[in-house]
Amino acid sequence: MSKTPTVVRAPAPASDRLTLDVLEGLRKSPKQLSAVWFYDEEGSCLFDSICELPEYYLTRTELRIMREHADEMADAIGAHAALIEFGSGSSEKTRILLDKLDDLACYVPIDISRDYLFETAGLLARDYPALRITPVCADFTQPFDLPVHIAAAHRRVVYFPGSTLGNFEEDAAQRVLTTMRTIIGRKGAVLIGIDLRKDPNVLKRAYNDAAGVTAEFNLNALRHVNRELGADFDVDAFEHSALWIENQSRIEMHLISKRDQEVHLGEETVRIKRGEHLRTECCHKYTLEGFAELASRADLAVTRVWTDPEQKFSVQMLEAKKIQ
Ligand code: AVJ
């Protein structure tokens, strides 16, 4: 008797974990979905489009600061360093540094979006043939391993551009900074892009652009969850919104349900009411003093600050606090 083989598609253990994380967020009030879900390949491309938007001043301003002060930054990084980038994405800003740092020991881009990470690493390998590039696919908020060869570098420098630190709540931001402080030890440095507080109207436009690219980016998080975890969010029944929360000094990205709906995920059914908000991202905006204070709590001192003339954005160097 012949038997038709049964194909069992056992979910990867990681996927169970992710499903539980998403469900936990959806049980909160207001409901939350981690910003990690923005960054599948589609989302990473949408983010690159956001960076081109006239309203989204962040990337443009940071690039200008990087270009203008690249020599000083390269000097501050020093010879034979290991450059470790958190959330490397397209590594576009990194190229400005790489062009000035011809004696880097190695470049270690870390990103959660695997395909994008390896594609970018391939492009960099072509353009910087002498550079040792070791991509690490990881969520940097969780424990991860770094390649052992970074130990041979003169010092370790963590690069974290894009003001992505602003996406973390205060405690989590401090933990990320502490992770960096552990990686760099006493001798290393952190080079970090930090968006600064400004007119809320400028901020609101930056996160709710006229062309609707940010809206697509926000909605794509639901598509990603649908595809990756087999959920059934009705993406068309959500609307994008960006709110400025003054007392938290942050922009919040929300998805608002246009009708009552049920979403199935794992074994569970989640009810979402018409008008109910799902918070997908917080983007904190710092004052220079406020950020220095946060860094200080992770045993880091601000040793350099580069800004644009209007002080819209900053690139800052942090080093281990001096032992008193
Ligand atoms: C990549 C986290 C810096 O917070 O401005 C862009 C992501 N969200 N538009 C930001 C984002 C909406 C971006 N970061």
Side-chain angles (χ1 to χ4, degrees), residues 3-79:
K3 229 172 133 193
T4 317
T6 319
V7 179
V8 180
R9 286 185 52 208
S15 139
D16 284 353
R17 175 78 254 149
L18 293 170
T19 299
L20 290 175
D21 287 349
V22 171
L23 283 171
E24 192 183 306
L26 294 177
R27 269 187 228 110
K28 290 188 177 150
S29 170
K31 291 184 166 54
Q32 294 175 22
L33 179 66
S34 162
V36 163
W37 291 100
F38 290 144
Y39 302 102
D40 58 352
E41 190 152 21
E42 167 83 15
S44 296
C45 286
L46 281 166
F47 179 65
D48 287 346
S49 308
I50 287 176
C51 296
E52 308 276 312
L53 294 168
E55 299 97 328
Y56 196 75
Y57 61 88
L58 287 85
T59 314
R60 208 170 301 117
T61 311
E62 184 174 22
L63 280 168
R64 199 179 307 138
I65 297 169
M66 296 292 301
R67 289 200 186 102
E68 203 141 310
H69 304 284
D71 284 314
E72 281 171 46
M73 292 178 191
D75 267 359
I77 288 170

Side-chain angles (χ1 to χ4, degrees), residues 165 168-179 294-295 297-298:
L165 188 78
F168 296 92
E169 306 262 352
E170 196 161 318
D171 288 2
Q174 200 185 315
R175 280 197 295 277
V176 171
L177 289 171
T178 302
T179 301
L294 178 67
R297 275 183 263 137

Side-chain angles (χ1 to χ4, degrees), residues 86-283:
F86 276 41
S88 48
S90 65
S91 296
E92 192 195 353
K93 291 159 202 144
T94 324
R95 285 173 177 265
I96 299 172
L97 294 174
L98 296 180
D99 289 342
K100 303 281 178 187
L101 294 164
D102 47 20
D103 62 350
L104 268 191
C106 59
Y107 172 53
V108 182
I110 307 170
D111 206 283
I112 198 160
S113 180
R114 179 173 225 104
D115 297 343
Y116 204 51
L117 174 71
F118 288 105
E119 193 184 307
T120 301
L123 294 173
L124 285 173
R126 190 196 59 191
D127 296 340
Y128 300 90
L131 181 63
R132 180 169 194 180
I133 305 170
T134 322
V136 172
C137 184
D139 172 354
F140 59 71
T141 64
Q142 304 298 318
F144 61 92
D145 289 324
L146 283 168
V148 289
H149 64 251
I150 63 167
H154 175 65
R155 72 195 297 224
R156 297 179 288 278
V157 176
V158 169
Y159 183 43
F160 193 28
S163 199
T164 304
L165 188 78
N167 286 150
F168 296 92
E169 306 262 352
E170 196 161 318
D171 288 2
Q174 200 185 315
R175 280 197 295 277
V176 171
L177 289 171
T178 302
T179 301
M180 295 179 176
R181 169 66 183 82
T182 306
I183 290 172
I184 66 166
R186 292 224 64 82
K187 286 204 310 179
V190 174
L191 188 65
I192 188 167
I194 294 293
D195 195 20
L196 302 174
R197 255 190 97 121
K198 58 183 61 62
D199 179 354
N201 291 312
V202 174
L203 290 169
K204 278 186 259 178
R205 278 195 291 275
Y207 290 88
N208 198 357
D209 62 281
V213 183
T214 309
E216 270 314 301
F217 175 70
N218 200 2
L219 290 163
N220 181 63
L222 299 179
R223 277 189 213 107
H224 189 191
V225 176
N226 282 351
R227 195 168 5 88
E228 188 98 6
L229 303 179
D232 58 357
F233 281 103
D234 179 357
V235 178
D236 295 332
F238 285 91
E239 184 170 69
H240 163 74
S241 153
L243 307 162
W244 169 249
I245 313 293
E246 174 69 28
N247 64 357
Q248 309 253 36
S249 193
R250 70 190 190 199
I251 283 280
E252 290 188 3
M253 298 236 296
H254 289 210
L255 289 166
I256 307 174
S257 181
K258 295 196 246 182
R259 55 173 180 79
D260 289 347
Q261 54 178 302
E262 281 186 352
V263 179
H264 304 94
L265 175 57
E267 318 267 81
E268 301 208 24
T269 301
V270 179
R271 263 171 272 278
I272 306 176
K273 292 206 189 66
R274 173 164 172 223
E276 195 173 344
H277 288 223
L278 220 156
R279 193 183 80 196
T280 48
E281 190 182 36
C282 298
C283 312

